[in-house]
Amino acid sequence: MNNSNNPTLEQRFKLPIILVSIIVPVLVAILFSVKLKDFGIEVEPLSFLPPIYAGINGLTALLLIMGVIAIKNRNQKVHERLMTAAIACSVVFLVMYVAYHMTADSTIYGDIDGNKVLDATEKANAGPMRSVYLFILLTHIALSVAIIPLVLITYVRALANRFDKHKKIAKITFPLWLYVAVTGVIVYLMISPYYAN
C-alpha cells in the first residue's frame, strides 16, 4: 500500500473506532447489570470462568511483552501476529467476563460469609487491603475503557503503514494495556478467596 492512501484508511476507520469505543463500554455496563435469572432463565453460575479469563489476561500481558520484544528485534510479522492475538484474547476475555456476570452475583471483597453484605467485622478483617483492592479494581476498569480507542487507533495506524504515528501512540497504548492485563490477574487473585463455593 503506498503512503498516499494511508490517511484515507485511517479516516475510514475513524467513525468505527469512535462507535466501538462508546458502544462496547456501554453494552458491557448494561450486560453486567443484567442477570439471566431476572428473566426467568435459570442457569447455573459460570463459576469456572473467572480463573480462565484471569489466565487470558495473563496471556494477553505475555503476548504484549513478546510483541514489544519482537518489534525491537525488527521482526514485524511476529509483532503483528502477537498484537492481533492480544486483541483476540481481550475480546475473548470480555465475552467470558460478561457471561460470568450475567449468571452470577458480584463478589464483594472481604465478604467472608458470602451474604453480599460487608459487615463491620468483615470490613475490619479486610483492613487496608480492601482499599488497595478497590484502587486496583477502579484503575483497571477505567483504563480498560480508555484503552479501547488507543488499541484500535494503534492497530489501524500499523495497518495503514503509518509506522511513525503507530510508534508514537504505541508508547502510550502498550503500558496502559499491559497494566490492564496484569491488574486483571491481580484483581482475580485478590477477590478469588471470596467467591461463593
Side-chain angles (χ1 to χ4, degrees):
M1 187 177 293
N2 75 43
N3 285 339
S4 64
N5 292 331
N6 294 337
T8 306
L9 182 64
E10 286 182 83
Q11 283 303 112
R12 280 201 327 237
F13 278 98
K14 188 175 182 178
L15 182 59
I17 287 171
I18 291 168
L19 291 174
V20 168
S21 300
I22 293 168
I23 292 169
V24 168
V26 169
L27 192 59
V28 169
I30 291 167
L31 291 175
F32 187 83
S33 64
V34 169
K35 301 291 182 233
L36 293 178
K37 64 183 178 186
D38 296 340
F39 297 95
I41 302 169
E42 291 302 320
V43 180
E44 284 295 312
L46 302 175
S47 52
F48 63 91
L49 285 179
I52 295 171
Y53 63 66
I56 289 172
N57 266 326
L59 177 59
T60 302
L62 186 62
L63 290 168
L64 291 171
I65 292 166
M66 290 168 52
V68 167
I69 291 168
I71 202 63
K72 286 191 182 295
N73 289 328
R74 301 187 186 285
N75 197 334
Q76 189 175 334
K77 269 291 172 212
V78 171
H79 172 75
E80 183 183 328
R81 288 183 187 126
L82 290 167
M83 294 299 102
T84 302
I87 291 171
C89 282
S90 294
V91 171
V92 170
F93 161 82
L94 194 58
V95 170
M96 287 184 173
Y97 180 79
V98 169
Y100 170 73
H101 284 283
M102 288 180 74
T103 63
D105 292 325
S106 292
T107 301
I108 300 171
Y109 186 89
D111 183 19
I112 296 168
D113 60 14
N115 68 351
K116 306 299 177 206
V117 176
L118 194 64
D119 63 36
T121 304
E122 288 172 325
K123 196 169 186 178
N125 285 340
M129 285 308 292
R130 179 169 164 75
S131 296
V132 171
Y133 168 79
L134 290 173
F135 174 80
I136 294 170
L137 177 65
L138 292 175
T139 57
H140 170 81
I141 292 169
L143 290 174
S144 69
V145 172
I147 64 165
I148 294 170
L150 290 173
V151 168
L152 295 175
I153 292 166
T154 306
Y155 195 74
V156 167
R157 286 183 177 173
L159 289 177
N161 295 327
R162 294 301 303 267
F163 297 115
D164 54 331
K165 292 173 81 177
H166 168 80
K167 188 175 178 181
K168 213 177 246 186
I169 195 168
K171 287 181 179 181
I172 299 166
T173 305
F174 169 73
L176 295 180
W177 194 2
L178 185 62
Y179 179 86
V180 169
V182 170
T183 55
V185 177
I186 294 169
V187 164
Y188 167 73
L189 292 174
M190 291 182 80
I191 197 71
S192 61
Y194 304 105
Y195 280 129
N197 295 329

